[in-house]
Amino acid sequence: MKWGGVQYDAIVIGGGHNGLVAAARLASGGARVLLAEAGQRVGGAAVTSEITPGYSASAVAHLLEGFPRRIERKLKLHKHGLRYAARDVATVALDRDGHHILLPRTRKEFAGFRDLLPKDADVYREYVARRRALAEFVAPLLGERPPALNDPDALKRFLRRSVWRAALKGGSTMQSLLRVLPEAIGDRLDAEFESPLLKGALAFDATLGGAEGPYAPGTSFRAILREAMRMQGQGAMLPVGGMGAFSDALAASVAAAGGDVRVNARVMRILVEEGKAVGVELSGGIEVRAARVLSAIAPRTTMLDLVGARHVETDDLRELRHLVPRGTTAKINLALDRLPEFSGLAPELHGARLLIAPSLADLDEAANAARSAALPFEPVMEILLPSVTDPLLAPEGQHVMSIIVHHVPHAMAGGWDAHREALVQRVVRMLGNYAPGIEDMMIAGEILTPPDIEEKYGLAGGDWHQGDIRLDRLFAFRPAPAYGRCETPLPGLWLCGAGSHPGGGITGLPGWLAADAVLSDGGSA
Ligand SMILES: Cc1cc2nc3c(=O)[nH]c(=O)nc-3n(C[C@H](O)[C@H](O)[C@H](O)COP(=O)(O)OP(=O)(O)OC[C@H]3O[C@@H](n4cnc5c(N)ncnc54)[C@H](O)[C@@H]3O)c2cc1C
């Protein structure tokens, strides 16, 4: 319906990267689209912020790993300004004594890896090959809508196709997958490897973004899922100008295709008439109507707060009530007056993704502490120095450091205000073990706890996935059985954010799949 004289076919709620991808896809498919973002700018958790004048960093998410090239091309993001400062960013597991492990990407790197870890090298090669084989099997499922659970023919077709694909990959694929599904990554790594540091790094990657520790069932599959997600993308990439530049390119793509992007436009309510979603009410009481509404915000908020429980089936209500997003990662961004020196780290690796996760025991301790609402004694983290490859982020010769702290409590007794400083101190102390003198280089910094991330950037609960990414909440069951195909049981309403299939991360896939489904459903007219 009209707003400022425009008649819309579709309204997208939330201007995070998934909402932007959905709006751009719909607009390029011929739909007249309005995207309503509550905040002052688009991007959600994919934005760049100024730490202090002259020093900027990706505020929350900082690395693109699974953003598909096909989406980048179709939305012409290069034409709209997207450039990369670094591609195929390496991962290094930092060691206190300087014997850092570069996870090998090439034969030459593998030779160095073998010199460092002669007992683990061949096992690692086999482990990676196995993980890749399973991820290749899973990857296509992430790039398509799951089958309808209530359509026996569709389900039969899907299962037949999966069995056929597994057979093509060799008889053992299905067997390996079934074995991996309930397995804990820690048990698998303990069974295969000797190096505590290597095990720590591999388990860090499998569990990042979730609350489970390395010995939780299902975490081995999370390693496969993450690899499959990475396969959608082009390797780890850093956009020039940080994540904000990536979101700006998406917004430019929406505008170029004729879509309307409105900021400071919070959706207060989804309008429901005669059992159908027919539009939204914005703050200020403005009603905008359209035959299709796509929500890129958390499924629980969408259904319980914006639609209202009275329009939701009782069984679904029970499922949705349990979907409380509770993030367990914090972000710390630092402005530094020089490049920190990590003892023993080759100069060319200062632009790499640096992990501090010394062992499975350290990860487990951090996860257990977070679960009991306590700060980890020795935090585990992922560190980037994006100004190494993107010098305009800081004044000449100076730098910014972007740190994801894995396994922090969602809430602290007495509130986070009393504990923020203690977390920063622990993180800086831990960093100092690897980069001596780091505290003397710090000019300014900001810390974002999970509730801060929600408040400042709109990511529900500060949760990486806008809600659990457990085994029973994946594919056709994400976020809940009746909602697994992007469309909700309420006609006209679709889900398109990280809370729906295939989950969180800067992949754009939830937005893309939902928009495609809406277009196939005749959403452009
Ligand atoms: C600390 C941390 C670090 C991370 N790092 C990475 C990383 O390096 N790489 C990676 O791939 N992923 C990373 N992630 C995950 C990633 O940030 C999220 O999965 C992703 O941002 C989700 O995108 P989205 O568009 O679905 O939702 P969001 O980014 O949450 O966007 C939702 C938008 O909706 C808006 N909104 C909310 N309510 C309303 C309303 N009522 N009306 C209108 N608008 C509304 C919000 O303001 C927000 O802009 C990280 C997550 C965390 C917490």
Side-chain angles (χ1 to χ4, degrees), residues 94-428:
L94 292 178
D95 175 55
R96 274 189 202 205
D97 298 325
H99 303 301
H100 310 302
I101 303 174
L102 165 64
L103 296 186
R105 296 161 300 171
T106 60
R107 275 189 189 186
K108 192 169 161 227
E109 287 176 358
F110 186 75
F113 181 80
R114 184 191 287 284
D115 289 344
L116 195 63
L117 301 175
K119 291 190 180 146
D120 281 334
D122 288 331
V123 186
Y124 178 76
R125 198 171 11 209
E126 283 161 28
Y127 172 83
V128 169
R130 221 167 42 237
R131 190 179 65 187
R132 189 166 297 152
L134 291 179
E136 276 168 3
F137 179 73
V138 171
L141 309 180
L142 304 181
E144 63 183 31
R145 277 205 303 160
L149 293 173
N150 57 359
D151 177 348
D153 286 339
L155 211 51
K156 223 185 281 166
R157 276 198 305 276
F158 171 79
L159 290 174
R160 220 179 278 143
R161 198 155 39 98
S162 301
V163 170
W164 180 73
R165 281 185 39 239
L168 269 187
K169 289 192 94 18
S172 60
T173 304
M174 204 49 119
Q175 196 182 329
S176 310
L177 194 61
L178 291 175
R179 184 160 179 219
V180 159
L181 280 177
E183 190 181 62
I185 186 83
D187 291 334
R188 167 66 30 218
L189 298 174
D190 278 336
E192 301 208 11
F193 294 100
E194 294 210 346
S195 160
L197 187 58
L198 179 61
K199 291 194 264 183
L202 295 175
F204 181 98
D205 271 2
T207 54
L208 183 61
E212 300 86 358
Y215 292 103
T219 43
S220 251
F221 183 68
R222 290 273 305 280
I224 312 292
L225 198 62
R226 178 141 193 201
E227 180 79 15
M229 209 61 114
R230 282 177 176 159
M231 283 175 178
Q232 312 291 317
Q234 310 161 56
M237 322 269 275
L238 288 175
V240 172
M243 282 295 179
F246 165 74
S247 295
D248 289 346
L250 286 173
S253 174
V254 180
D260 274 353
V261 175
R262 305 270 177 136
V263 293
N264 297 316
R266 177 174 292 278
V267 171
M268 308 303 288
R269 202 158 64 89
I270 291 172
L271 305 175
V272 180
E273 284 173 10
E274 294 172 9
K276 281 189 200 158
V278 295
V280 300
E281 181 190 319
L282 299 169
S283 52
I286 303 163
E287 285 192 0
V288 190
R289 287 177 177 254
R292 281 153 181 102
V293 177
L294 291 85
S295 174
I297 71 173
R300 186 181 197 272
T301 317
T302 304
M303 298 310 299
L304 301 190
D305 300 346
L306 299 190
V307 169
R310 68 183 186 287
H311 298 294
V312 181
E313 295 285 336
T314 317
D315 282 355
D316 297 345
L317 208 53
R318 214 173 292 134
E319 292 273 352
L320 290 165
R321 283 206 169 117
H322 284 291
L323 279 183
V324 185
R326 283 198 193 95
T328 50
T329 38
K331 186 74 196 300
I332 295 181
N333 299 316
L334 301 175
L336 305 174
D337 68 5
R338 71 203 106 125
L339 185 65
E341 273 187 38
F342 287 86
S343 328
L345 187 68
E348 68 274 15
L349 289 179
H350 278 75
R353 173 173 172 259
L354 307 173
L355 301 184
I356 296 185
S359 68
L360 289 170
D362 287 287
L363 267 176
D364 202 31
E365 190 271 331
N368 288 337
R371 203 171 305 119
S372 355
L375 295 180
F377 185 65
E378 297 209 308
V380 289
M381 58 191 106
E382 169 181 305
I383 304 157
L384 292 178
L385 283 157
S387 46
V388 167
T389 48
D390 190 359
L392 292 182
L393 293 174
E396 202 181 334
Q398 309 202 19
H399 285 276
V400 287
M401 185 182 263
S402 171
I403 307 167
I404 296 177
V405 191
H406 183 18
H407 290 315
V408 302
H410 177 73
M412 296 287 298
W416 260 107
D417 283 350
H419 302 279
R420 266 196 202 88
E421 196 46 44
L423 179 61
V424 174
Q425 276 174 14
R426 287 181 195 199
V427 166
V428 172

Side-chain angles (χ1 to χ4, degrees), residues 13-20 36-39 41-46 60-66 243 265-268 296-297 301 306 329-331 382 404-405 448 453 457-460 462-466 496-499 503-507 510:
I13 306 172
H17 86 286
N18 273 315
L20 290 165
E37 162 57 42
R41 58 177 163 173
V42 292
V60 184
H62 61 188
L63 199 58
L64 273 184
E65 285 189 281
M243 282 295 179
R266 177 174 292 278
V267 171
M268 308 303 288
I297 71 173
T301 317
L306 299 190
T329 38
K331 186 74 196 300
E382 169 181 305
I404 296 177
V405 191
L448 298 164
I453 292 172
Y457 299 106
L459 180 64
D463 186 331
W464 192 290
H465 298 281
Q466 286 186 351
C496 69
I506 311 294
T507 69

Side-chain angles (χ1 to χ4, degrees), residues 49-83:
S49 72
E50 198 172 56
I51 305 167
T52 191
Y55 302 78
S56 297
S58 294
V60 184
H62 61 188
L63 199 58
L64 273 184
E65 285 189 281
F67 191 69
R69 190 190 291 275
R70 71 175 199 279
I71 300 185
E72 189 185 307
R73 285 216 183 107
K74 288 222 172 117
L75 300 186
K76 302 188 175 76
L77 297 187
H78 189 79
K79 185 176 158 205
H80 297 301
L82 179 64
R83 298 284 182 278

